[in-house]
Amino acid sequence: AQTVTQSQPEMSVQEAETVTLSCTYDTSESNYYLFWYKQPPSRQMILVIRQEAYKQQNATENRFSVNFQKAAKSFSLKISDSQLGDTAMYFCAFRMDSNYQLIWGAGTKLIIKP
Amino acid sequence: EAGVVQSPRYKIIEKKQPVAFWCNPISGHNTLYWYLQNLGQGPELLIRYENEEAVDDSQLPKDRFSAERLKGVDSTLKIQPAELGDSAVYLCASSLRGGNPYNEQFFGPGTRLTVL
């Protein structure tokens, strides 16, 4: 069975700092997709970034980038120049190529302090 | 373009009472998902629709939960009777065809249910 683990329940950094959120997963599949979602206090879940397992290049979206280590089954999210609006729960999620279902981690609460 | 709409945003009921949640997906999205999210946890899928067909309801507690998507557009999730343990946030999401991993799931704001 596939599992997703986020080992940091909560993190707090100063505005403009860089922060890295950790995620590890377990699967025997070779083709899969990894996602980071953001859920602000308003509760609307928003896709931040996506990584295809077959791509060696790490995905980037503006201030957000990932460090995808396939052999280590690690998928961390780096937020550069953090902003107050980045305060939210961040969820790591996994999806097999052969199955539509998302497997979610427990989330990391990120607080950006002014 | 309007996002996924859910109502109500909040609902407080006594245990053993019925409750219903409504979701209107993004126009053109034929795949609709209902998730349950407990505090401090990630979402758990309850049911997935492709158009009006429930293609995966294996995690829906069918003794008390039911869902429908009669015309393949909006959907209703019902609990009858509600139990204390049903207190959670109920999220609705929609996407273009769910089998394509590049079809992003768009989420609604959720309904926070409190059962007293």
Side-chain angles (χ1 to χ4, degrees), chain A residues 33 35 37 39 41-47 50 52 54-55 89 91 95-97 100-102 104-107, chain B residues 9-10 33 35 37 40-43 45 48 56 59 89 98-102 104-105 107-110 112:
Chain A
Y33 304 83
F35 307 84
Y37 281 85
Q39 189 177 38
S42 66
R43 295 203 304 268
Q44 197 119 14
M45 194 81 76
I46 304 163
L47 178 64
R50 167 178 37 219
E52 295 87 345
Y54 64 85
K55 289 187 177 178
M89 286 290 294
F91 292 93
R95 175 194 161 143
M96 291 187 292
D97 190 30
Y100 71 91
Q101 189 167 353
L102 287 170
W104 299 79
Chain B
R9 289 295 306 276
Y10 303 89
Y33 311 77
Y35 289 92
Q37 186 178 23
Q41 297 183 25
L45 182 71
R48 176 176 71 106
D56 185 356
Q59 299 183 74
V89 175
N100 185 336
Y102 293 94
E104 178 183 344
Q105 291 187 31
F107 286 80
R112 182 181 297 281

Side-chain angles (χ1 to χ4, degrees), chain A residues 43, chain B residues 5-12 19-23 90 109-113:
Chain A
R43 295 203 304 268
Chain B
V5 178
Q6 289 189 250
S7 68
R9 289 295 306 276
Y10 303 89
K11 187 74 175 178
I12 301 174
V19 64
F21 315 122
W22 177 79
C23 172
Y90 292 82
T111 297
R112 182 181 297 281
L113 173 67

Side-chain angles (χ1 to χ4, degrees), chain A residues 47-108:
Chain A
L47 178 64
V48 174
I49 199 165
R50 167 178 37 219
Q51 175 77 43
E52 295 87 345
Y54 64 85
K55 289 187 177 178
Q56 291 186 331
Q57 187 173 6
N58 289 323
T60 62
E61 287 287 343
N62 301 313
R63 297 182 296 108
F64 299 87
S65 61
V66 299
N67 183 4
F68 173 48
Q69 301 289 328
K70 190 172 184 179
K73 296 181 182 176
S74 170
F75 182 61
S76 60
L77 174 70
K78 184 172 83 171
I79 306 174
S80 303
D81 185 27
S82 58
Q83 301 174 0
L84 297 178
D86 295 333
T87 293
M89 286 290 294
Y90 285 82
F91 292 93
C92 178
F94 166 97
R95 175 194 161 143
M96 291 187 292
D97 190 30
S98 57
N99 188 320
Y100 71 91
Q101 189 167 353
L102 287 170
I103 308 299
W104 299 79
T108 296

Side-chain angles (χ1 to χ4, degrees), chain B residues 58-101:
Chain B
S58 58
Q59 299 183 74
L60 188 73
K62 297 182 184 64
D63 57 335
R64 297 185 299 108
F65 286 65
S66 63
E68 60 183 17
R69 192 184 186 200
L70 294 175
K71 296 184 179 179
V73 181
D74 59 341
S75 176
T76 302
L77 178 69
K78 298 178 181 178
I79 309 174
Q80 182 170 10
E83 297 179 352
L84 295 176
D86 295 332
S87 294
V89 175
Y90 292 82
L91 297 171
C92 179
S94 71
S95 71
L96 296 172
R97 201 172 68 84
N100 185 336

